[in-house]
Amino acid sequence: MSVSVTFLGTGGSIPSKFRNLPSVLLRRGPELFLFDCGEGTQKQFLQAKAGTNRKMRIFISHMHGDHVFGLPGLLHSLSFMGRTTELEIVGPKGIRDLVTGVNRVVKLYSRFPILIKEARSGRVVDEAEYEVRAAPAEHGMPCLAYAFIEKPRPGRFDPSKAKRLGIPEGPLWKKLQTSQSIRVGRRRVASRLVIGPPRPGVKVTYAVDTRPCRAVVSLAARSDLLIHDSCFEESASAKAKDYGHSTASEAAQVAKRSRSKKLALFHISAMYEDPTPLLTQAKKVFPAAFLSTDMATVRVGQ
Ligand SMILES: [Zn+2]
Ligand SMILES: [Zn+2]
């Protein structure tokens, strides 16, 4: 199943002329995973044609306004647009109070069940084909980094091998494709004879509002795409440290140490109208770095 990532908002703290507040939409086939929901996310979500009634989960990193102020608006609008499917929200302590508090005072008119899960770390979602793990980021308040991890996919079925073994096309092929052994006459044929080795799934890690830290490096191990806090350039490294953020080159160090394949520089401060220096500095450490931009979509994995 194809996996893509659309950057709905790539700025941080306050919006700028070019960047909305943080939010990333991951699509896996028909399913949606939204990481953070800064103010204005609902408009970007509509523009991305994400669909209103799909299976969807929202993951909130932490309870700073730039990451959550878009949530009430999005929930409110999804109801008006006719959503009826349950929606799950995962976040640190405080996420339940936020949603229930807004609902009590303003009314979200939600026509769909909202399931809220307050999490600390570890596996927060476990499905047959994928899981989502959380790890504590370093931001001076409870803040979670998330990794979307597809479980290994079954190997590819090789029809020519099946034909060579004299297995007629039809129900027997189907059985082999689902890793079952079959019988052809007196012969037993194991599925491994016609199916290749398992293929690794896709991994995307979202780590924002964080200092570079060991927990994120290990969560992000071998990600196809690491989306990392890159608030500042190198000359503002003291500021990054004070505010619990990372410079672009620190993000690049995390990408390198975690052996990730690609790095998206994300949560870029509004003070950089032209963030090219951030990219240049990151690329010196990790050449596969790129600047995330609002509404850009990247395909991940095969
Ligand atoms: Zn932030
Ligand atoms: Zn923050």
Side-chain angles (χ1 to χ4, degrees):
M1 216 170 279
S2 73
V3 174
S4 72
V5 161
T6 302
F7 299 99
L8 301 185
T10 57
S13 308
I14 54 166
S16 70
K17 208 163 35 166
F18 308 104
R19 293 179 195 274
N20 276 282
L21 291 169
S23 187
V24 166
L25 176 69
L26 184 149
R27 289 183 251 218
R28 181 184 187 267
E31 287 186 51
L32 306 178
F33 306 80
L34 189 72
F35 295 91
D36 278 332
C37 196
E39 193 188 338
T41 294
Q42 56 170 319
K43 209 171 163 224
Q44 308 287 87
F45 185 85
L46 272 179
Q47 206 178 320
K49 296 190 168 56
T52 53
N53 223 1
R54 299 191 170 190
K55 182 168 177 185
M56 175 172 170
R57 289 186 171 98
I58 300 177
F59 300 87
I60 297 295
S61 61
H62 65 303
M63 301 308 291
H64 273 159
D66 56 328
H67 296 254
V68 293
F69 282 155
L71 193 53
L74 179 66
L75 297 176
H76 186 264
S77 296
L78 283 174
S79 268
F80 273 86
M81 292 185 293
R83 184 178 179 90
T84 49
T85 312
E86 180 184 88
L87 184 124
E88 190 178 332
I89 303 173
V90 180
K93 195 169 162 33
I95 188 67
R96 187 184 304 282
D97 280 353
L98 175 78
V99 176
T100 53
V102 170
N103 199 26
R104 194 171 54 240
V105 183
V106 191
K107 285 268 172 276
L108 294 169
Y109 299 107
S110 170
R111 297 195 182 104
F112 52 90
I114 299 175
L115 195 77
I116 301 171
K117 206 190 262 179
E118 291 192 333
R120 277 196 179 159
S121 61
R123 196 183 287 128
V124 293
V125 170
D126 190 14
E127 295 266 3
E129 295 181 352
Y130 61 81
E131 62 183 33
V132 178
R133 286 181 166 272
E138 242 182 72
H139 188 49
M141 73 180 301
C143 182
L144 295 171
Y146 293 100
F148 167 86
I149 307 163
E150 269 186 332
K151 295 179 180 173
R153 308 171 186 201
R156 282 187 212 283
F157 175 71
D158 187 338
S160 61
K161 278 188 182 166
K163 278 181 193 157
R164 245 179 285 142
L165 287 166
I167 305 159
E169 199 174 337
L172 289 176
W173 280 28
K174 276 240 161 64
K175 273 197 165 174
L176 288 168
Q177 283 162 356
T178 52
S179 303
Q180 300 176 60
S181 300
I182 56 157
R183 283 201 164 278
V184 185
R186 288 187 176 174
R187 262 189 314 146
R188 189 178 160 277
V189 179
S191 61
R192 66 182 157 71
L193 294 175
V194 290
I195 290 182
R199 292 166 291 161
V202 159
K203 179 168 179 180
V204 177
T205 303
Y206 176 82
V208 291
D209 287 31
T210 185
R211 294 287 303 140
C213 64
R214 206 178 288 171
V216 168
V217 170
S218 100
L219 179 77
R222 296 177 197 277
S223 293
D224 294 285
L225 173 65
L226 168 64
I227 301 162
H228 196 283
D229 183 330
S230 307
C231 224
F232 300 110
E233 62 170 313
E234 217 30 52
S235 61
S237 63
K239 208 169 172 182
K241 208 171 174 185
D242 286 352
Y243 293 120
H245 284 289
S246 300
T247 63
S249 23
E250 284 171 335
Q253 290 287 355
V254 175
K256 193 175 168 184
R257 280 167 58 203
S258 63
R259 299 188 188 179
S260 294
K261 287 188 188 148
K262 277 185 186 163
L263 166 69
L265 305 176
F266 187 82
H267 200 286
I268 292 158
S269 165
M271 65 198 235
Y272 302 111
E273 202 158 292
D274 175 15
T276 313
L278 279 76
L279 182 62
T280 311
Q281 289 163 10
K283 273 180 173 269
K284 273 187 200 152
V285 181
F286 188 78
F290 66 96
L291 279 167
S292 63
T293 50
D294 283 22
M295 298 313 294
T297 296
V298 290
R299 273 194 76 144
V300 192
Q302 304 88 337

